Amino acid sequence: MPLSKRISIYIIIPVLLTIPSVLYFLLAQNPEYVRPTTGDTHARQNASAANTLHSLLGPVSTRSRDPNATQFDVEAGIRGFSKGTYTRVLVVPHTSKDSITWIDDRLLDVSLALYVVDDLTAPLHPPKNKGHEVMVYLTYIIDHYEQLPEIIIFMHAHRHAWHNSDLLGFDAIEMIQRLNSERVIRHGYMNLRCAWDPGCPEWLHPYETGELLSKQEQGLLARSWSELFPLDPLPTVLGQACCAQFAVSRERVLSISRQRFVFYRDWLLRTPLTDYFSGRIWEFVWQYVFTGYETYCPAEHACYCDGFGVCFGGKVQYGEFLALRQSKNNYTKELEQLRKQQQTALEAGESVESDGNVIPGVSRLGEEAVLKGRIEMLEKELSSRRLDALERGKDVRNREAEVADSQ
């Protein structure tokens, strides 16, 4: 085949492959589609170019990207730190076997939208059980787009989970009750996990080849991105704190066309990706949809303080708390290892009172006592600092100062 024809094929085939996604996106839009904006004051604006290809396929956001932005404008003034009086809904997907007795609208001061993912006869259910929580989140927005409350809280069905806030006892009830509605209104979008690990400051690198066990979805992201965001360039990195639990304001949702959410859900319904992989991809896409940032990692101490009223006094003080906690964890691991060695020695009929690997004059049992004492001391110190942080968070001035410290 002549070289010119081969070159033409190499150029034409990739273009043809993108046509189905583009056509599907076009068919999913209505003539009044408005390209989403990231400001809360731009909800549902009329666009003069609504019928142009650019307005239909415009990128999620055209503003500059700041990977470390906290999206808090000090010069604009602080609008408040109290819960305020806002209408709020808690959206939770769950199976018919999950225990959700902990979810009480009176206790949590929210209305409820509980979706049963594996029962099509339930009053609230998604069209298909796929994509983990994604299908339910999108379905709620689509079905309630015209009657949204001021704040929508999207969470999983388990009250206690490792990815919940450790400073609030990993307790979903504590998170909901302490959630600062003002922060959600001010930012538009708030990841309910403040701790960066895992997910921040970077997580998925779409251009990297090779499969990682902890990031199996990374190799699938490039094609999925081109289908979800046809005119947006593939990012070099995506990141936010895991694990798809967040709150979003009504204004932020309404700044995005309902038809775009329909398009996203249709993609989820038709993609050949499995339930697991389609859900994993979206775990690091939500922040892009609602903020326009590929990476969204607000300062941890400001998130805890402004978001939940847990204020350590600033970045330095929060760092000291983390260092103490890491020391406690290290001693705990050391103690666990020591106990394993003791058990092995006992099973071998050896004495645990002496070991050539320990400091002379200190028995293994004595070493265990030392470790337990250090762990107990650190636990008391950590508890004291946490209680002080909760007390400090009650003062609006402390919250203001700590948020300013993150700029």
Side-chain angles (χ1 to χ4, degrees):
M1 182 182 295
L3 178 61
S4 60
K5 288 187 177 180
R6 290 202 301 270
I7 293 175
S8 298
I9 290 174
Y10 293 147
I11 295 174
I12 292 172
I13 288 179
V15 173
L16 291 176
L17 289 174
T18 65
I19 289 178
S21 294
V22 173
L23 288 177
Y24 189 89
F25 192 99
L26 288 169
L27 291 172
Q29 312 306 304
N30 68 35
E32 299 301 319
Y33 170 78
V34 179
R35 192 177 74 193
T37 60
T38 54
D40 282 341
T41 61
H42 298 92
R44 309 182 68 186
Q45 294 177 335
N46 291 323
S48 60
N51 293 320
T52 66
L53 180 64
H54 186 268
S55 67
L56 286 170
L57 294 177
V60 166
S61 174
T62 57
R63 70 179 176 187
S64 61
R65 272 39 169 193
D66 181 357
N68 297 311
T70 60
Q71 290 193 286
F72 183 83
D73 188 351
V74 176
E75 295 181 358
I78 297 175
R79 293 174 56 182
F81 291 84
S82 64
K83 288 185 178 180
T85 303
Y86 296 99
T87 55
R88 307 192 307 171
V89 65
L90 175 64
V91 180
V92 176
H94 67 95
T95 68
S96 54
K97 295 180 180 180
D98 287 330
S99 174
I100 56 172
T101 56
W102 64 271
I103 303 178
D104 187 327
D105 56 346
R106 295 166 297 176
L107 177 66
L108 300 175
D109 191 27
V110 293
S111 57
L112 302 177
L114 309 179
Y115 283 76
V116 187
V117 298
D118 57 352
D119 183 2
L120 293 178
T121 66
L124 291 178
H125 64 268
K128 187 177 182 179
N129 184 13
K130 184 181 180 184
H132 288 189
E133 67 282 326
V134 183
M135 187 71 75
V136 166
Y137 291 5
L138 292 173
T139 296
Y140 176 83
I141 291 174
I142 292 167
D143 292 348
H144 299 82
Y145 191 82
E146 301 296 337
Q147 301 91 28
L148 291 170
E150 292 166 291
I151 293 175
I152 307 101
I153 304 170
F154 295 101
M155 296 190 75
H156 298 165
H158 304 294
R159 176 178 176 180
H160 295 97
W162 70 267
H163 52 70
N164 286 346
S165 175
D166 56 342
L167 295 181
L168 297 176
F170 303 98
D171 190 343
I173 289 180
E174 282 288 313
M175 293 170 66
I176 297 167
Q177 289 180 331
R178 298 188 66 88
L179 178 63
N180 179 13
S181 297
E182 292 288 350
R183 180 178 176 88
V184 180
I185 294 297
R186 187 190 325 121
H187 288 236
Y189 171 85
M190 176 182 168
N191 191 325
L192 297 182
R193 180 175 172 83
C194 295
W196 281 16
D197 184 30
C200 282
E202 300 179 354
W203 187 251
L204 298 180
H205 297 81
Y207 289 96
E208 290 186 4
T209 58
E211 186 173 315
L212 297 174
L213 183 61
S214 61
K215 304 178 185 180
Q216 298 179 56
E217 68 276 14
Q218 182 167 272
L220 304 170
L221 181 60
R223 177 166 182 174
S224 299
W225 187 270
S226 68
E227 294 171 349
L228 288 166
F229 314 105
L231 289 190
D232 288 16
L234 180 66
T236 57
V237 63
L238 284 172
Q240 73 164 332
C242 82
C243 297
Q245 296 191 121
F246 57 88
V248 65
S249 70
R250 176 172 62 197
E251 283 189 285
R252 184 56 56 87
V253 174
L254 295 182
S255 70
I256 303 170
S257 166
R258 178 181 181 276
Q259 290 304 314
R260 188 175 283 252
F261 291 112
V262 171
F263 169 72
Y264 291 150
R265 189 176 67 175
D266 285 348
W267 175 87
L268 190 60
L269 287 167
R270 65 189 175 89
T271 180
L273 295 178
T274 63
D275 167 64
Y276 173 80
F277 284 117
S278 57
R280 286 284 292 177
I281 284 175
W282 266 89
E283 188 172 331
F284 298 97
V285 167
W286 289 114
Q287 84 282 0
Y288 186 75
V289 170
F290 287 118
T291 75
Y293 288 111
E294 290 95 347
T295 59
Y296 185 80
C297 300
E300 287 188 23
H301 71 97
C303 175
Y304 279 123
C305 182
D306 186 29
F308 299 103
V310 186
C311 304
F312 289 89
K315 184 177 181 179
V316 173
Q317 295 85 344
Y318 176 67
E320 293 172 351
F321 177 86
L322 293 182
L324 289 172
R325 187 170 65 180
Q326 185 59 52
S327 294
K328 191 209 82 168
N329 292 341
N330 291 340
Y331 285 134
T332 300
K333 291 179 181 178
E334 191 174 343
L335 179 60
E336 291 173 352
Q337 183 63 30
L338 176 62
R339 286 172 172 169
K340 288 180 181 179
Q341 293 173 355
Q342 290 175 338
Q343 183 62 34
T344 301
L346 285 172
E347 292 174 354
E350 300 174 3
S351 171
V352 298
E353 292 295 334
S354 62
D355 189 308
N357 296 322
V358 300
I359 301 174
V362 180
S363 72
R364 300 253 73 178
L365 293 179
E367 188 177 354
E368 179 178 353
V370 170
L371 289 173
K372 290 171 67 175
R374 290 174 179 174
I375 293 170
E376 182 179 352
M377 178 185 67
L378 287 170
E379 285 178 341
K380 289 180 179 179
E381 179 64 21
L382 289 168
S383 177
S384 175
R385 294 198 181 201
R386 176 182 170 275
L387 291 175
D388 287 345
L390 290 170
E391 187 64 29
R392 189 179 293 109
K394 295 177 182 179
D395 191 323
V396 173
R397 293 168 298 181
N398 292 334
R399 291 191 175 196
E400 292 176 355
E402 192 143 346
V403 172
D405 182 52
S406 68
Q407 305 305 306

